[in-house]
Amino acid sequence: MHWYEDDALWSDFAPTMFPPARAESAAALVASSPLLDFPPGSRVLDLCCGPGLFVVPLAGRGYDVTGVDLSPTMLDAARAACKAAGAPARLERADMLTYTEPGAFDVVLNVFTSFGYFEAAKDNLQVLRNAHDSLAPGGLLLVDVMGKEVLAGWIGRPKAVDLPDGSYVVQRDTVLDSWRRLRTDWTLVSGASARTASITSWLYSAAELHALFESAGFTGVECFGGFDGSGYDQRSNRLIVRGRRS
Ligand SMILES: C[S@@+](CC[C@H](N)C(=O)[O-])C[C@H]1O[C@@H](n2cnc3c(N)ncnc32)[C@H](O)[C@@H]1O
């Protein structure tokens, strides 16, 4: 089994990855971000939607939203969140490596570092090709990751995150393959017990991800440093790459 297929990983570490504060910040971004401002009624695919932190506010804004994820637990959480918010969305279980719906969307989003999960570089390119296929002509793909240039400024320091129930998570990063990939080891400590898991994903500089978008057929490719639409530089919080299907 590949690490990303481990449903228990996503559910066990959900309190760290998807705390209530992230749901609030996703809602605020959908309300204010120039990069998430689409024509009314746009068909939006949230690829790797997780528990629906973006699906809910996007559907609430009136977009025609589809969420796709591989984890049944994440999809159940997304379903529950949509129901609680009265936000209508289609939720599908699929693998981003193979999922396409030709011409079905005006926008494809892949956010919060949900890209670069496949060991073979060609498979990550295939995800971009699939998104290209799933877009109608003129449609947009946005991929949001942590950029390699920014990560290089603080990587190496272990990070501990306290959780509301008194448990905590320690994250340690290890650079692999001459900065091509990154492994993050997570340890969840609850009382006297500890649970560990590792996430290994590709790291991209702005130039590398820009080139990958072009290899997948995207045009007008641009890089941003955050959802406010700012330029990408050494102070950026995120690396967001956007391209268009001609
Ligand atoms: C870091 S989480 C981000 C979730 C969401 N985008 C967010 O902003 O909260 C990554 C998500 O990708 C999903 N995932 C991992 N591998 C996948 C794959 N091969 N195909 C589809 N989804 C996948 C996981 O189940 C998880 O929900």
Side-chain angles (χ1 to χ4, degrees):
M1 183 170 70
H2 298 104
W3 67 264
Y4 57 82
E5 292 171 306
D6 178 7
D7 204 30
L9 182 158
W10 301 108
S11 50
D12 290 355
F13 289 90
T16 320
M17 290 188 207
F18 315 112
R22 263 208 70 229
E24 284 163 28
S25 91
L29 290 179
V30 169
S32 65
S33 168
L35 302 184
L36 298 175
D37 185 18
F38 312 119
S42 289
R43 297 162 298 167
V44 179
L45 167 64
D46 185 356
L47 186 62
C48 301
C49 65
L53 305 191
F54 282 83
V55 168
V56 168
L58 287 166
R61 218 181 136 162
Y63 300 131
D64 176 359
V65 182
T66 299
V68 162
D69 202 280
L70 192 58
S71 158
T73 309
M74 291 298 106
L75 286 169
D76 284 348
R79 246 174 236 117
C82 286
K83 194 170 172 209
R90 178 163 69 100
L91 294 163
E92 302 270 346
R93 179 164 189 249
D95 190 329
M96 63 176 149
L97 184 56
T98 50
Y99 173 80
T100 58
E101 279 195 56
F105 301 103
D106 304 301
V107 177
V108 177
L109 301 176
N110 176 278
V111 299
F112 199 55
T113 316
S114 304
F115 184 72
Y117 286 4
F118 300 103
E119 195 168 343
K122 69 172 179 36
D123 289 343
N124 297 308
L125 174 59
Q126 185 60 46
V127 173
L128 298 188
R129 289 196 203 280
N130 294 345
H132 189 269
D133 261 13
S134 295
L135 285 167
L140 294 171
L141 168 67
L142 267 92
V143 173
D144 156 51
V145 292
M146 177 62 72
K148 193 189 282 188
E149 300 89 338
V150 173
L151 204 67
W154 55 260
I155 202 163
R157 285 166 242 160
K159 189 176 148 206
V161 180
D162 288 315
L163 298 175
D165 66 359
S167 57
Y168 62 95
V169 171
V170 181
Q171 271 173 257
R172 290 182 69 242
D173 294 317
T174 306
V175 172
L176 304 174
D177 306 342
S178 309
W179 274 101
R180 287 185 187 84
R181 299 195 302 149
L182 177 76
R183 190 186 74 234
T184 305
D185 298 312
W186 298 66
T187 307
L188 171 62
V189 183
S190 313
S193 64
R195 191 250 196 258
T196 58
S198 293
I199 289 183
T200 304
S201 59
W202 282 73
L203 289 175
Y204 299 96
S205 67
E208 286 165 347
L209 197 48
H210 187 287
L212 212 58
F213 265 60
E214 289 189 336
S215 300
F218 287 95
T219 58
V221 180
E222 292 174 276
C223 297
F224 303 95
F227 280 101
D228 59 356
S230 56
Y232 182 65
D233 63 22
Q234 76 282 8
R235 287 177 300 273
S236 299
N237 290 323
R238 307 294 297 170
L239 166 60
I240 300 172
V241 181
R242 183 177 71 181
R244 185 177 292 281
R245 176 177 179 162
S246 301

